[in-house]
Amino acid sequence: MTRVRGFSLMEVLAALALLSIVLLGVYSGISTASRIVRSGDRAIERMDEVRSAQAYLRSELAQALVMPFDETDIGDPVVFQGTADKLTFVAPMPGYLSRLGPQMQTVALVADGHDGYRLEVSLFLLPPDGSEPKALGESQVLIRGVRKGAFSYRGVDDQNKPTDWQATWPDARRTPSLVRIALDIDGTTVFPALVAPLRIDPSASRNGFSLRRGVPGQGVR
């Protein structure tokens, strides 16, 4: 009779060790591939978020109207307000939202806890009787994870000469020619500096509208 020799304990342990190394390598490869896929998905989502925010802002600023939504202390109409972290203007909304007519829009950088800031837009309905604008729902977030950012404005002076970029728009009775939005966002995606032109004539707000919102009149005296 022939005796069948089995595996020794050391051989079994060596085989288990080799199998563990192989399985560890397979798991590491799968885990790395999964992280790469998730990172790619996040980068694509972030890029889509940036593109959507830029497309919306560019479109709405291009359609800005010389439509008063407030008055200054001396009774002049306010058609545009802009600071380093907030701007307010009137423009028609896209799609079915345009049925409500032109709306006052406020785009602002708002503190977002320990995550920096978020860029959000708030919409307000302009009543036809000239009363105070009424908020339409809650503010909508355009982009989160903003480390820092700033708005700046460029227009023409009283001699119709182009001005330098300004952190605050000085004359609420007129609209700027250009609005620049620069954001530094987290992650690897870059928010390209947005420079949006306003297609309207900045001088039109001086004498093209009466104090009644959107109604052509004799101008501000």
Side-chain angles (χ1 to χ4, degrees), residues 31-43:
S31 177
T32 301
S34 298
R35 286 198 301 270
I36 292 174
V37 170
R38 288 195 298 269
S39 177
D41 289 342
R42 287 195 296 269

Side-chain angles (χ1 to χ4, degrees), residues 37 41-42 49 51 93-94 116 122 125 127 132 164 171 197 209:
V37 170
D41 289 342
R42 287 195 296 269
E49 186 179 24
R51 288 176 177 172
M93 292 294 293
S122 303
L125 182 65
E132 291 295 322
D164 294 329
D171 191 352
F209 283 75

Side-chain angles (χ1 to χ4, degrees), residues 43-127:
I44 292 173
E45 291 175 359
R46 190 64 160 165
M47 189 175 299
D48 289 342
E49 186 179 24
V50 169
R51 288 176 177 172
S52 297
Q54 289 221 349
Y56 174 82
L57 292 170
R58 190 182 299 277
S59 173
E60 292 305 300
L61 286 168
Q63 300 180 81
L65 301 174
V66 185
M67 183 175 291
F69 55 83
D70 201 355
E71 293 182 1
T72 64
D73 294 337
I74 59 175
D76 288 341
V78 173
V79 300
F80 189 96
Q81 290 178 325
T83 63
D85 57 4
K86 184 170 70 173
L87 62 93
T88 302
F89 61 99
V90 176
M93 292 294 293
Y96 72 93
L97 295 174
S98 62
R99 298 175 183 174
L100 298 176
Q103 299 170 32
M104 188 181 84
Q105 303 185 38
T106 296
V107 181
L109 280 171
V110 180
D112 198 10
H114 298 292
D115 298 327
Y117 301 87
R118 64 180 183 271
L119 184 68
E120 65 179 29
V121 58
S122 303
L123 304 177
F124 299 83
L125 182 65
L126 295 174

